[in-house]
Amino acid sequence: MNPENEVVPMRESKNREGQSGSPGFEEDGDFQNEDSSAGMCGCLLVAMSVLLMLVTLPLSIWMCIKIVKEYERAIIFRLGRIVKGGAKGPGLFFILPCTDSFINVDMRTITFDIPPQEILTKDSVTVSVDGVVYYRVQNATLAVANITNADAATRLLAQTTLRNVLGTKNLSEILSDREEIAHSMQSSLDDATDAWGIKVERVEIKDVKLPLQLQRAMAAEAEATREARAKVIAAEGEMNASRALKEASLVIAESPSALQLRYLQTLNTIAAEKNSTIIFPLPLEMMQGLIKH
């Protein structure tokens, strides 16, 4: 009996005229044989396997009954060919001793980090970008029969897709349009891995690292922008204050008593503090009288 969970690399073959007994591949992932019979030798081996199982009952039942969990699917190979009906599970299923082997496929969502990639943007800036990818096996038959290692292939494809997508973007677009870039990567990966039975659910950009000199230049530019904005706000404040003072002077000029009240209010403010010297302003009328005298 073949060892359980043994990965058997298979190649996708096309249906050609004049070839009999070669597996054919359809879009829905079901593998069918071109001819209905597996050949005289195959039938004989299967019959001997069934006979051996019946003779060794009930001991052989423990070798024939297998269990897969809720999140797993089993791909059964009989004499090297995938059994009709596709993946089995979850629950119990039966295999024949000596002629059957199976591979368990995990159907849960798998996550992996994209290592930091040195990327040259469209405006000739070198940045380091990393991300994370969420994917799951959608078709267990395709994931086993069409590719040797679906996980490793998806990881390598994610790295190349990240470099290809970001290589067409400017630095400003990379910093501001992360969601759009992630969606573009997800669509590209999903289309490329569809033939492997892989469904890419989500892609996220984690971090964008800029060169140190570029960080300093951007920080200086941001600081200069903030200073210019502060100066504009201060100038607007002085202009508004001068307009208010002008309006106040016009109101006081219309009423001389208002100026005297302003003098008294100023004295009250000065006297509230602990001052040893208090300056009394002289009325302008008294100064005019002394000048005339």
Side-chain angles (χ1 to χ4, degrees), residues 1-7 62-63 65-66 95 100-103:
M1 181 176 178
N2 295 334
E4 296 180 357
N5 300 338
E6 179 182 1
V7 178
W62 301 107
M63 301 175 61
I65 296 179
K66 303 298 178 182
I95 62 173
D100 291 0
S101 62
F102 70 96
I103 298 175

Side-chain angles (χ1 to χ4, degrees), residues 14-68:
K14 299 182 179 178
N15 296 332
R16 299 179 180 177
E17 295 181 358
Q19 295 181 353
S20 61
S22 61
F25 175 72
E26 296 181 352
E27 292 182 356
D28 57 355
D30 296 332
F31 287 77
Q32 299 178 351
N33 297 329
E34 289 182 356
D35 49 356
S36 58
S37 64
M40 197 56 132
C41 183
C43 293
L44 181 60
L45 290 176
V46 173
M48 292 178 61
S49 179
V50 173
L51 181 61
L52 178 63
M53 180 188 66
L54 295 176
V55 171
T56 57
L57 282 176
L59 297 178
S60 61
I61 197 67
W62 301 107
M63 301 175 61
C64 297
I65 296 179
K66 303 298 178 182
I67 301 175
V68 291

